[in-house]
Amino acid sequence: MKKLINSPDSVIADALRGMAAAHPSLAVDLENRVVSRAGGATQGKVGLVSGGGSGHEPLHGGYVGYGMLDAAAPGEVYTSPVPDQILAATKAADGGAGVLHIVKNYTGDVLNFRMAAELADDDDIRVVSVVTNDDAAVEDSTYTAGRRGVGGTVFVEKIAGAAAEEGADLDTVAGIATHVNEVTRSFAIALHAGTVPAAGKPGFDLADDEVELGVGIHGEPGRERGSMAPVHDLVGYSLDVIHADRPLSGDLLVMLNGQGGTPLIELYGAFAEAAAWIEGHGARVARSLVGNYITSLDQQGFSISVLALDDDLLRLWDAPVATPALRWGR
Protein backbone atom coordinates (compact mmCIF):
# COMPACT_ATOMS: atom_id res chain seq x y z
CA MET A 1 0.00 0.00 0.00
CA LYS A 2 1.29 3.44 -1.00
CA LYS A 3 -0.75 6.36 0.36
CA LEU A 4 -0.04 9.99 1.21
CA ILE A 5 -0.58 9.53 4.93
CA ASN A 6 1.44 9.70 8.13
CA SER A 7 -0.25 6.62 9.58
CA PRO A 8 -3.61 4.88 9.23
CA ASP A 9 -4.51 6.06 12.73
CA SER A 10 -4.08 9.76 11.96
CA VAL A 11 -5.50 9.97 8.44
CA ILE A 12 -8.85 11.55 9.42
CA ALA A 13 -7.39 14.00 11.93
CA ASP A 14 -4.75 15.03 9.38
CA ALA A 15 -7.38 15.52 6.68
CA LEU A 16 -9.51 17.66 9.00
CA ARG A 17 -6.47 19.79 9.88
CA GLY A 18 -5.89 20.23 6.18
CA MET A 19 -9.49 21.28 5.55
CA ALA A 20 -9.22 23.87 8.31
CA ALA A 21 -6.00 25.26 6.82
CA ALA A 22 -7.30 25.28 3.24
CA HIS A 23 -10.77 26.71 3.81
CA PRO A 24 -11.14 29.70 6.15
CA SER A 25 -14.90 29.56 5.48
CA LEU A 26 -15.04 26.39 7.60
CA ALA A 27 -14.81 25.87 11.34
CA VAL A 28 -13.27 22.48 12.10
CA ASP A 29 -13.76 21.05 15.58
CA LEU A 30 -10.96 18.50 15.77
CA GLU A 31 -11.99 17.16 19.17
CA ASN A 32 -15.59 16.39 18.19
CA ARG A 33 -14.80 15.87 14.50
CA VAL A 34 -17.38 18.33 13.24
CA VAL A 35 -17.09 20.60 10.20
CA SER A 36 -19.34 23.67 10.26
CA ARG A 37 -19.59 27.16 8.80
CA ALA A 38 -17.03 29.54 10.25
CA GLY A 39 -19.63 32.20 10.96
CA GLY A 40 -21.77 29.86 13.02
CA ALA A 41 -25.42 29.00 12.52
CA THR A 42 -27.59 31.50 10.65
CA GLN A 43 -30.30 32.65 13.05
CA GLY A 44 -33.81 31.97 11.79
CA LYS A 45 -32.66 29.59 9.05
CA VAL A 46 -33.24 25.85 8.98
CA GLY A 47 -29.92 24.09 9.60
CA LEU A 48 -28.78 21.17 7.45
CA VAL A 49 -26.59 18.41 8.84
CA SER A 50 -25.25 15.32 7.16
CA GLY A 51 -22.45 12.88 7.80
CA GLY A 52 -21.21 9.36 7.41
CA GLY A 53 -18.03 7.41 7.17
CA SER A 54 -14.92 9.15 5.88
CA GLY A 55 -13.46 8.08 2.56
CA HIS A 56 -16.22 9.61 0.41
CA GLU A 57 -14.72 13.10 0.14
CA PRO A 58 -15.81 15.71 -0.75
CA LEU A 59 -18.98 14.23 0.80
CA HIS A 60 -19.87 15.55 3.38
CA GLY A 61 -17.49 18.16 4.78
CA GLY A 62 -16.77 19.58 1.33
CA TYR A 63 -20.42 20.57 1.03
CA VAL A 64 -20.53 22.73 4.15
CA GLY A 65 -21.15 26.34 3.25
CA TYR A 66 -23.65 28.78 1.82
CA GLY A 67 -26.39 27.04 -0.13
CA MET A 68 -25.73 23.54 1.21
CA LEU A 69 -24.90 22.11 4.62
CA ASP A 70 -24.44 23.97 7.88
CA ALA A 71 -22.45 21.17 9.51
CA ALA A 72 -21.13 17.68 8.80
CA ALA A 73 -19.98 14.81 10.99
CA PRO A 74 -17.25 12.59 9.47
CA GLY A 75 -16.90 9.14 11.07
CA GLU A 76 -14.03 6.73 10.82
CA VAL A 77 -13.34 5.42 7.31
CA TYR A 78 -16.51 3.72 6.05
CA THR A 79 -18.00 3.91 9.57
CA SER A 80 -20.91 5.99 10.82
CA PRO A 81 -20.25 8.96 13.08
CA VAL A 82 -21.35 8.36 16.68
CA PRO A 83 -24.48 10.00 18.17
CA ASP A 84 -22.59 12.51 20.33
CA GLN A 85 -20.65 13.66 17.28
CA ILE A 86 -23.86 14.09 15.26
CA LEU A 87 -25.40 15.96 18.20
CA ALA A 88 -22.44 18.36 18.23
CA ALA A 89 -22.96 18.99 14.51
CA THR A 90 -26.68 19.51 15.09
CA LYS A 91 -26.00 22.11 17.77
CA ALA A 92 -23.51 23.86 15.47
CA ALA A 93 -26.18 24.06 12.76
CA ASP A 94 -29.08 25.15 14.97
CA GLY A 95 -30.26 28.68 14.25
CA GLY A 96 -33.56 28.30 16.06
CA ALA A 97 -35.65 27.12 13.08
CA GLY A 98 -34.96 23.42 13.45
CA VAL A 99 -32.43 21.11 11.82
CA LEU A 100 -32.74 18.71 8.90
CA HIS A 101 -30.67 15.52 9.12
CA ILE A 102 -29.80 14.11 5.68
CA VAL A 103 -28.94 10.46 6.25
CA LYS A 104 -27.69 7.91 3.73
CA ASN A 105 -29.50 4.59 4.11
CA TYR A 106 -26.95 2.47 5.96
CA THR A 107 -27.96 0.74 9.17
CA GLY A 108 -25.30 2.38 11.36
CA ASP A 109 -25.98 5.86 9.98
CA VAL A 110 -29.75 5.52 10.40
CA LEU A 111 -29.48 4.28 14.00
CA ASN A 112 -26.88 6.83 15.10
CA PHE A 113 -28.66 9.79 13.51
CA ARG A 114 -31.90 8.64 15.13
CA MET A 115 -30.24 8.57 18.56
CA ALA A 116 -28.70 12.00 17.93
CA ALA A 117 -32.12 13.40 16.99
CA GLU A 118 -33.53 12.11 20.27
CA LEU A 119 -30.67 13.75 22.18
CA ALA A 120 -31.28 16.99 20.28
CA ASP A 121 -34.95 16.87 21.24
CA ASP A 122 -33.86 16.74 24.88
CA ASP A 123 -32.09 20.04 24.18
CA ASP A 124 -35.23 21.51 22.57
CA ILE A 125 -33.85 21.32 19.04
CA ARG A 126 -36.45 20.07 16.57
CA VAL A 127 -34.95 17.62 14.08
CA VAL A 128 -36.52 16.08 10.98
CA SER A 129 -34.63 13.32 9.17
CA VAL A 130 -34.67 12.43 5.48
CA VAL A 131 -33.06 9.14 4.47
CA THR A 132 -31.61 8.91 0.96
CA ASN A 133 -31.92 5.62 -0.93
CA ASP A 134 -31.37 6.41 -4.60
CA ASP A 135 -29.28 3.36 -5.58
CA ALA A 136 -31.08 1.35 -8.28
CA ALA A 137 -28.58 -1.51 -8.12
CA VAL A 138 -29.77 -3.72 -5.27
CA GLU A 139 -32.55 -3.84 -2.69
CA ASP A 140 -30.47 -5.03 0.29
CA SER A 141 -26.71 -4.99 0.76
CA THR A 142 -23.89 -5.51 3.24
CA TYR A 143 -24.69 -2.54 5.49
CA THR A 144 -28.24 -1.80 4.40
CA ALA A 145 -31.86 -2.84 4.73
CA GLY A 146 -33.45 -1.52 1.56
CA ARG A 147 -31.75 0.57 -1.08
CA ARG A 148 -28.48 2.35 -0.44
CA GLY A 149 -28.05 6.11 -0.29
CA VAL A 150 -25.38 7.16 -2.79
CA GLY A 151 -24.78 9.98 -5.30
CA GLY A 152 -28.27 11.42 -5.07
CA THR A 153 -27.33 12.62 -1.60
CA VAL A 154 -25.35 15.43 -3.26
CA PHE A 155 -28.49 16.56 -5.09
CA VAL A 156 -30.51 16.46 -1.86
CA GLU A 157 -27.95 18.53 0.04
CA LYS A 158 -27.72 21.16 -2.72
CA ILE A 159 -31.40 21.60 -3.47
CA ALA A 160 -32.63 21.40 0.14
CA GLY A 161 -29.82 23.75 1.11
CA ALA A 162 -30.98 26.31 -1.44
CA ALA A 163 -34.53 26.11 -0.08
CA ALA A 164 -33.25 26.69 3.44
CA GLU A 165 -31.27 29.75 2.31
CA GLU A 166 -34.48 31.15 0.81
CA GLY A 167 -36.13 30.95 4.23
CA ALA A 168 -38.31 27.87 3.80
CA ASP A 169 -39.42 26.28 7.08
CA LEU A 170 -38.26 22.89 8.32
CA ASP A 171 -41.20 20.86 7.06
CA THR A 172 -40.95 22.47 3.62
CA VAL A 173 -37.20 21.86 3.38
CA ALA A 174 -37.70 18.24 4.46
CA GLY A 175 -40.44 17.80 1.88
CA ILE A 176 -38.19 19.12 -0.88
CA ALA A 177 -35.36 16.83 0.23
CA THR A 178 -37.72 13.85 0.21
CA HIS A 179 -38.95 14.73 -3.28
CA VAL A 180 -35.41 15.06 -4.65
CA ASN A 181 -34.57 11.62 -3.31
CA GLU A 182 -37.73 10.16 -4.86
CA VAL A 183 -36.97 11.46 -8.36
CA THR A 184 -33.28 10.48 -8.36
CA ARG A 185 -31.70 7.17 -9.33
CA SER A 186 -28.04 6.10 -9.31
CA PHE A 187 -25.92 3.18 -10.46
CA ALA A 188 -22.19 2.46 -10.12
CA ILE A 189 -19.60 0.18 -11.70
CA ALA A 190 -16.17 -0.58 -10.21
CA LEU A 191 -13.07 -1.54 -12.19
CA HIS A 192 -10.79 -1.92 -9.16
CA ALA A 193 -11.40 -1.85 -5.40
CA GLY A 194 -10.34 0.92 -3.07
CA THR A 195 -7.94 0.36 -0.17
CA VAL A 196 -8.93 1.28 3.38
CA PRO A 197 -5.72 2.59 5.05
CA ALA A 198 -6.14 0.43 8.15
CA ALA A 199 -6.61 -2.71 6.01
CA GLY A 200 -3.66 -2.07 3.70
CA LYS A 201 -5.10 -4.00 0.76
CA PRO A 202 -7.98 -3.64 -1.71
CA GLY A 203 -11.42 -4.31 -0.25
CA PHE A 204 -12.30 -6.94 -2.85
CA ASP A 205 -10.70 -8.73 -5.77
CA LEU A 206 -11.55 -8.30 -9.43
CA ALA A 207 -9.80 -10.14 -12.22
CA ASP A 208 -8.28 -8.05 -14.99
CA ASP A 209 -11.27 -8.75 -17.22
CA GLU A 210 -13.95 -8.27 -14.54
CA VAL A 211 -16.06 -5.35 -13.29
CA GLU A 212 -18.50 -5.10 -10.37
CA LEU A 213 -21.90 -4.06 -11.71
CA GLY A 214 -23.86 -2.06 -9.12
CA VAL A 215 -21.06 -1.69 -6.58
CA GLY A 216 -21.74 0.24 -3.37
CA ILE A 217 -19.79 3.24 -2.08
CA HIS A 218 -18.05 1.04 0.52
CA GLY A 219 -17.17 -1.62 -2.05
CA GLU A 220 -20.29 -3.67 -1.29
CA PRO A 221 -21.21 -6.28 -3.88
CA GLY A 222 -23.47 -5.20 -6.70
CA ARG A 223 -25.84 -7.18 -8.87
CA GLU A 224 -23.24 -9.34 -10.49
CA ARG A 225 -19.72 -9.57 -11.81
CA GLY A 226 -19.49 -8.62 -15.46
CA SER A 227 -16.86 -8.61 -18.15
CA MET A 228 -14.78 -5.53 -18.85
CA ALA A 229 -16.20 -3.76 -21.88
CA PRO A 230 -15.92 -0.45 -23.75
CA VAL A 231 -17.22 2.56 -21.82
CA HIS A 232 -20.12 2.79 -24.28
CA ASP A 233 -21.39 -0.56 -23.04
CA LEU A 234 -20.77 0.10 -19.33
CA VAL A 235 -22.56 3.45 -19.39
CA GLY A 236 -25.37 1.96 -21.44
CA TYR A 237 -25.80 -0.86 -18.93
CA SER A 238 -25.96 1.65 -16.06
CA LEU A 239 -28.55 3.86 -17.73
CA ASP A 240 -30.61 0.86 -18.82
CA VAL A 241 -30.88 -0.15 -15.15
CA ILE A 242 -31.84 3.38 -14.09
CA HIS A 243 -34.33 3.76 -16.93
CA ALA A 244 -35.98 0.42 -16.11
CA ASP A 245 -36.36 1.48 -12.48
CA ARG A 246 -37.61 5.01 -13.19
CA PRO A 247 -38.13 5.93 -16.86
CA LEU A 248 -36.07 8.93 -17.93
CA SER A 249 -37.76 11.75 -19.81
CA GLY A 250 -37.78 15.51 -20.03
CA ASP A 251 -35.05 17.67 -18.52
CA LEU A 252 -32.48 15.85 -16.41
CA LEU A 253 -29.70 16.69 -13.98
CA VAL A 254 -26.92 14.16 -14.59
CA MET A 255 -23.85 13.57 -12.41
CA LEU A 256 -21.07 11.43 -13.87
CA ASN A 257 -19.09 10.76 -10.73
CA GLY A 258 -15.63 9.31 -10.27
CA GLN A 259 -15.02 6.96 -7.37
CA GLY A 260 -11.68 8.46 -6.40
CA GLY A 261 -9.29 6.63 -8.68
CA THR A 262 -10.59 7.34 -12.19
CA PRO A 263 -8.88 9.98 -14.37
CA LEU A 264 -11.02 12.91 -15.46
CA ILE A 265 -10.28 12.18 -19.12
CA GLU A 266 -12.08 8.85 -18.69
CA LEU A 267 -14.98 10.44 -16.83
CA TYR A 268 -15.55 12.89 -19.66
CA GLY A 269 -15.49 10.02 -22.13
CA ALA A 270 -18.10 8.28 -20.01
CA PHE A 271 -20.22 11.43 -19.88
CA ALA A 272 -20.15 11.68 -23.67
CA GLU A 273 -21.68 8.21 -23.81
CA ALA A 274 -24.25 9.11 -21.16
CA ALA A 275 -25.31 12.26 -23.00
CA ALA A 276 -25.67 10.34 -26.25
CA TRP A 277 -27.73 7.61 -24.54
CA ILE A 278 -30.04 10.17 -22.93
CA GLU A 279 -30.54 12.12 -26.16
CA GLY A 280 -31.18 8.88 -28.01
CA HIS A 281 -33.96 8.05 -25.55
CA GLY A 282 -35.72 11.38 -26.04
CA ALA A 283 -34.62 13.13 -22.85
CA ARG A 284 -32.30 16.12 -22.36
CA VAL A 285 -29.30 16.83 -20.14
CA ALA A 286 -30.28 20.22 -18.74
CA ARG A 287 -27.60 20.38 -16.02
CA SER A 288 -24.56 18.25 -15.34
CA LEU A 289 -21.63 17.53 -13.06
CA VAL A 290 -18.53 15.56 -14.08
CA GLY A 291 -15.85 14.75 -11.51
CA ASN A 292 -15.36 13.35 -8.02
CA TYR A 293 -18.33 14.28 -5.83
CA ILE A 294 -18.88 11.13 -3.74
CA THR A 295 -15.88 8.83 -3.73
CA SER A 296 -14.81 5.48 -2.34
CA LEU A 297 -11.20 6.25 -1.40
CA ASP A 298 -9.16 5.26 -4.48
CA GLN A 299 -11.69 2.91 -6.05
CA GLN A 300 -11.62 2.96 -9.84
CA GLY A 301 -14.87 3.20 -11.75
CA PHE A 302 -17.80 5.56 -12.03
CA SER A 303 -21.35 6.17 -10.93
CA ILE A 304 -24.22 7.92 -12.68
CA SER A 305 -26.93 9.80 -10.80
CA VAL A 306 -29.93 11.19 -12.68
CA LEU A 307 -32.57 13.56 -11.30
CA ALA A 308 -35.81 14.42 -13.10
CA LEU A 309 -35.98 18.22 -13.08
CA ASP A 310 -38.98 20.50 -12.85
CA ASP A 311 -38.97 24.31 -12.78
CA ASP A 312 -38.70 24.52 -8.99
CA LEU A 313 -35.90 21.96 -8.73
CA LEU A 314 -34.00 23.65 -11.55
CA ARG A 315 -34.28 27.03 -9.84
CA LEU A 316 -33.04 25.61 -6.55
CA TRP A 317 -30.18 23.75 -8.27
CA ASP A 318 -29.10 26.96 -10.02
CA ALA A 319 -29.29 29.00 -6.80
CA PRO A 320 -25.96 30.32 -5.48
CA VAL A 321 -23.70 27.95 -3.60
CA ALA A 322 -20.31 28.50 -1.97
CA THR A 323 -18.67 25.38 -0.54
CA PRO A 324 -15.22 23.86 -1.02
CA ALA A 325 -16.59 21.34 -3.54
CA LEU A 326 -19.45 23.21 -5.27
CA ARG A 327 -19.36 26.90 -6.04
CA TRP A 328 -21.34 29.06 -8.43
CA GLY A 329 -23.47 32.20 -8.58
CA ARG A 330 -21.93 33.93 -5.58
Side-chain angles (χ1 to χ4, degrees):
M1 179 180 72
K2 292 182 180 179
K3 288 188 175 291
L4 293 173
I5 62 175
N6 291 313
S7 77
D9 293 336
S10 70
V11 63
I12 296 170
D14 290 344
L16 289 174
R17 289 192 301 107
M19 287 191 73
H23 303 293
S25 63
L26 300 180
V28 180
D29 180 344
L30 293 173
E31 180 179 356
N32 291 306
R33 290 189 175 177
V34 170
V35 180
S36 60
R37 300 190 192 187
T42 302
Q43 293 304 304
K45 186 187 82 69
V46 171
L48 270 67
V49 171
S50 194
S54 295
H56 304 304
E57 291 74 19
L59 201 79
H60 293 274
Y63 298 125
V64 172
Y66 183 89
M68 289 191 78
L69 299 178
D70 293 270
E76 296 293 334
V77 173
Y78 289 178
T79 303
S80 171
V82 298
D84 286 347
Q85 183 184 1
I86 301 166
L87 177 62
T90 302
K91 290 180 176 180
D94 176 34
V99 175
L100 178 67
H101 282 177
I102 299 171
V103 187
K104 301 188 302 302
N105 189 33
Y106 300 95
T107 302
D109 291 48
V110 171
L111 292 175
N112 287 346
F113 269 88
R114 183 181 302 157
M115 285 188 278
E118 293 171 355
L119 293 170
D121 184 64
D122 292 340
D123 289 332
D124 296 323
I125 301 172
R126 183 175 176 231
V127 173
V128 174
S129 296
V130 170
V131 177
T132 63
N133 59 352
D134 53 298
D135 194 349
V138 295
E139 194 63 33
D140 296 294
S141 188
T142 309
Y143 307 111
T144 309
R147 295 188 176 204
R148 303 175 294 212
V150 288
T153 309
V154 178
F155 297 165
V156 172
E157 292 177 359
K158 169 62 184 81
I159 292 173
E165 296 291 354
E166 289 183 350
D169 64 24
L170 179 57
D171 290 331
T172 300
V173 175
I176 290 169
T178 298
H179 176 61
V180 171
N181 178 68
E182 289 172 346
V183 298
T184 301
R185 295 293 185 274
S186 300
F187 192 85
I189 295 178
L191 311 184
H192 191 277
T195 298
V196 174
K201 61 181 181 180
F204 57 91
D205 294 321
L206 283 172
D208 289 344
D209 61 348
E210 282 186 324
V211 297
E212 185 72 32
L213 300 169
V215 69
I217 59 172
H218 310 98
E220 306 98 313
R223 293 184 163 200
E224 59 181 331
R225 292 281 170 95
S227 298
M228 186 61 193
V231 66
H232 172 275
D233 298 342
L234 297 178
V235 168
Y237 182 98
S238 303
L239 286 169
D240 284 344
V241 170
I242 290 172
H243 186 58
D245 195 73
R246 191 180 194 282
L248 301 178
S249 63
D251 285 352
L252 305 175
L253 165 59
V254 181
M255 180 171 72
L256 198 298
N257 172 66
Q259 297 176 358
T262 306
L264 195 56
I265 189 172
E266 296 178 24
L267 296 180
Y268 275 115
F271 186 80
E273 300 296 343
W277 188 102
I278 289 166
E279 182 179 352
H281 286 73
R284 186 175 84 93
V285 178
R287 297 291 186 273
S288 60
L289 291 175
V290 180
N292 285 308
Y293 296 98
I294 172 172
T295 60
S296 303
L297 294 168
D298 54 346
Q299 187 165 291
Q300 294 177 7
F302 70 94
S303 67
I304 300 177
S305 297
V306 185
L307 180 153
L309 287 165
D310 58 32
D311 289 344
D312 287 336
L313 295 183
L314 181 60
R315 177 181 59 81
L316 291 169
W317 178 258
D318 285 344
V321 59
T323 71
L326 282 186
R327 181 179 296 269
W328 58 72
R330 193 167 190 261

